[in-house]
Amino acid sequence: WPNLTYSQVGFLPQPVVNYDGAGLPATLLSGNYASLGVLQSTKIGGTIESPVLATSKFIPVPYTGGGALDTYFAAQPGPKADIYAGNGRFSEYAVQIDGPIWAAQTTRVDGRLGVRWYEIDAATDSLLQFGDVTDPALDLYFPSIAVNHFGQVVIGISGSSETDFAGAYAAVGETLGGVTSFGAP
C-alpha cells in the first residue's frame, strides 16, 4: 500500500512477528502515541494474494508523558553530546506467541530513560498487562523483547549513565498466574 497515512497505520508502525504461524490477520503496531496514552494496532486480513488493510484500533495504555514525537537522549560520560536513544516507536519488532503480542519501547520513568513493556491480546487489541524496567543509575533504551512458550521473557537493552559508557544489559522476566515480573537489568 503506497502512501499510507498516520491515521491508517500510525507513525512508523512495526510488523508483529507471529510465532504462532496462524497466517492472516497480521498486525502492525505503532507505539509513538503511548506518550499520549494509546498504541495503534492495524490488522492485515484477506488472503496473501489479496490482502486487506483493516481500520486501526487504538489500545488505551498508561500515559507516559511528553508528546507523540518526543526524542530521547541518554547520558554518557564526558563532555560529549548525549546518545540519541530514539523516540516512542518500538525499536525492534513486537512478537506474538501463544496468542498475545509482546512489545517494548523506550520511555521516561521517574526522570530517567527506562523501558515500558506490554502484553496485548491480539484478538481484541486490548492491554493485558504492562510494566517498566528501570535502573536507579542507568538510562535504558533501544529494547528488544523475546518470549517463549513457558512465559519467560527477556528484554535486551542498551544502557549508559554519566559515569558508565554504553553497554548491553538484559532483564529477565517470568509469567506466573498471568502476571509478569522482571528482575533488575
Side-chain angles (χ1 to χ4, degrees):
W1 296 283
N3 304 317
L4 292 175
T5 66
Y6 299 141
S7 64
Q8 290 174 293
V9 295
F11 186 73
L12 298 170
Q14 299 296 311
V16 173
V17 176
N18 186 337
Y19 290 109
D20 291 342
L24 297 177
T27 304
L28 298 173
L29 194 61
S30 176
N32 276 79
Y33 302 118
S35 61
L36 304 173
V38 294
L39 302 178
Q40 189 169 353
S41 172
T42 308
K43 302 290 190 216
I44 301 171
T47 65
I48 295 297
E49 297 81 19
S50 184
V52 176
L53 190 67
T55 301
S56 285
K57 291 184 180 178
F58 292 97
I59 304 167
V61 297
Y63 173 77
T64 61
L69 300 178
D70 268 1
T71 300
Y72 302 123
F73 292 92
Q76 69 171 329
K80 302 170 213 54
D82 286 341
I83 299 169
Y84 171 74
N87 53 27
R89 71 177 171 227
F90 297 113
S91 53
E92 287 288 329
Y93 54 80
V95 296
Q96 182 175 351
I97 189 163
D98 295 335
I101 295 169
W102 294 80
Q105 67 183 153
T106 304
T107 190
R108 283 191 180 88
V109 181
D110 298 329
R112 182 172 289 297
L113 296 184
V115 172
R116 166 96 21 112
W117 60 268
Y118 306 95
E119 181 186 14
I120 300 163
D121 185 306
T124 63
D125 284 321
S126 59
L127 184 64
L128 297 173
Q129 60 174 334
F130 76 97
D132 295 323
V133 175
T134 62
D135 185 272
L138 295 171
D139 283 328
L140 301 175
Y141 47 96
F142 289 136
S144 60
I145 193 165
V147 185
N148 67 21
H149 296 288
F150 304 107
Q152 298 163 323
V153 185
V154 176
I155 298 177
I157 316 164
S158 295
S160 62
S161 73
E162 292 178 5
T163 57
D164 296 293
F165 288 101
Y169 299 84
V172 179
E174 187 157 12
T175 306
L176 298 170
V179 177
T180 304
S181 301
F182 282 88

